[in-house]
C-alpha cells in the first residue's frame, strides 16, 4: 500500500466543522508516517472527479472529512475498487461512521484510527446499496421522512437540525398514507398503504434514528422497514421510539429482509444517506463487500 493518503474534504460540513477537522486529521496521519494531500472541489461534481482521479492514480486510501453526504460522495469514488475508505465524521448525522463504531466529531482520534487501520490492514469489507449507478451506505428513505427532507431542503431559515424538526411538524399537519407497490427480490408485487418505507443497509439515519435497527452492514441483505397507514396521533407516538429502535415492536411496523427492493409510489422522492436520488420508482440492490473501510 502506498503511503500517500488523499483527504477528501467538505469545508461546509457541520456548519464549518469540515474545514476545521481536516487539519487535526491530517496531522494524525502525518505523525503516523503517511504523506497527505487534500482534495477540495469547487462543487460536488468537481470534487468527485478529483476523488476518482486520486483513486485511479493509486492513492493508499480516500479519507472523507465531513458528514454522511461527504461519505456518500466518497463511496461513489471507491465502491467496487480495492482503495480503502477512511471516515472523519464531523457532520450533523454521521450515521455511517456510527454504524462502523468510528469516532464522531473527534477528527484527531479518527485520524489515528485510520492510520493504525491502514498500517495493520484492519479493514472491514462492508455491503453497500446501489440504485442505478449510485451507491449508498446507510438508508434509502421514502415517504413521510423523505417529504420532511423535501420540505426542509426548501426552507432557507432556520439552519441546522431545527429546520427539519419544523419541517416534520408541517408535514404531520398535511400528511396522508401513500399507496406503495413493493417487490422484494423476485417475489410478487405487494400493494400496501404506508406512511414510509425505509431500505436499510445500515441501521440509522438522521443522526441516530434507528429506523432499520436490525440492519447489518455485512450480511448481504437490506432490512426493509414499512410503517403502515398511521394517522397523525399514532405516528406521533411511534416516531420518538425510532431513536431507540423500539418502534419495530409496534403492530403498524413490519420488517422484511431482501437483497433487492423495488419501490413505487406517486409523488415520492427517494433519499439515500440524506441525499436525493430522484422520484420513485426506484430499485435498490445490496452489493456484498462493495467497499473496504478502516475501522478501530
Amino acid at each position: 500500500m502506498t503511503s500517500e493518503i488523499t483527504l477528501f474534504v467538505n469545508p461546509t460540513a457541520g456548519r464549518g466543522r469540515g474545514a476545521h477537522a481536516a487539519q487535526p486529521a491530517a496531522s494524525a496521519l502525518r505523525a503516523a508516517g503517511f504523506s497527505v494531500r487534500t482534495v477540495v472541489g469547487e462543487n460536488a461534481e468537481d470534487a468527485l472527479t478529483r476523488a476518482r482521479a486520486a483513486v485511479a492514480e493509486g492513492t493508499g486510501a480516500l479519507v472523507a472529512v465531513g458528514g454522511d453526504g461527504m461519505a456518500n460522495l466518497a463511496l461513489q469514488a471507491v465502491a467496487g475498487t480495492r482503495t480503502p475508505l477512511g471516515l472523519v465524521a464531523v457532520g450533523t448525522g454521521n450515521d455511517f461512521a456510527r454504524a462502523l463504531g468510528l469516532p464522531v466529531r473527534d477528527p484527531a482520534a479518527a485520524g489515528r484510527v485510520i492510520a493504525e487501520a491502514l498500517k495493520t490492514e484492519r479493514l472491514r469489507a462492508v455491503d453497500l446499496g446501489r440504485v442505478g449507478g449510485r451507491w449508498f451506505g446507510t438508508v434509502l428513505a421514502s415517504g413521510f421522512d423523505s417529504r420532511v427532507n423535501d420540505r426542509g431542503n426548501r426552507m432557507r431559515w432556520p439552519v441546522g437540525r431545527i429546520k427539519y424538526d419544523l419541517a416534520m411538524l408541517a408535514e404531520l399537519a398535511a400528511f396522508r398514507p401513500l399507496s406503495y407497490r413493493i417487490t422484494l427480490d423476485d417475489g410478487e408485487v405487494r400493494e400496501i398503504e404506508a406512511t414510509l418505507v425505509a431500505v436499510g443497509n445500515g441501521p440509522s439515519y438522521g443522526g441516530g434514528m434507528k429506523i432499520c435497527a436490525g440492519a447489518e452492514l455485512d450480511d448481504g441483505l437490506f432490512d426493509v422497514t414499512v410503517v403502515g397507514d398511521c394517522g397523525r396521533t399514532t405516528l406521533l407516538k411511534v416516531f420518538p421510539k425510532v431513536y431507540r429502535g423500539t418502534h419495530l415492536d409496534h403492530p403498524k411496523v413490519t420488517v422484511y429482509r431482501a437483497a433487492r427492493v423495488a419501490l413505487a409510489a406517486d409523488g415520492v422522492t427517494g433519499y439515500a444517506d440524506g441525499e436525493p436520488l430522484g422520484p420513485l420508482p426506484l430499485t435498490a440492490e445490496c452489493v456484498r463487500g462493495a467497499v473496504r473501510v478502516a475501522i478501530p
Side-chain angles (χ1 to χ4, degrees), residues 266-285:
D266 294 334
V268 178
T269 302
Y271 281 78
D273 296 341
E275 302 297 309
L277 287 175
L280 272 56
L282 295 171
T283 299
E285 300 174 85

Side-chain angles (χ1 to χ4, degrees), residues 39-62:
V39 167
V40 181
E42 295 179 5
N43 51 45
E45 183 179 357
D46 180 54
L48 179 55
T49 297
R50 293 169 185 253
R52 283 176 167 156
V55 170
E57 291 163 8
T59 187
L62 187 67

Side-chain angles (χ1 to χ4, degrees), residues 87-99 101-107 109-110:
L87 295 175
V88 179
V90 292
T92 303
N94 307 308
D95 288 283
F96 196 34
R98 291 177 200 275
L102 294 168
V104 171
R105 296 183 185 170
D106 189 342

Side-chain angles (χ1 to χ4, degrees), residues 71-97:
N72 179 271
L73 198 60
L75 289 177
Q76 313 314 312
V78 297
T81 76
R82 297 293 295 169
T83 303
L85 174 67
L87 295 175
V88 179
V90 292
T92 303
N94 307 308
D95 288 283
F96 196 34

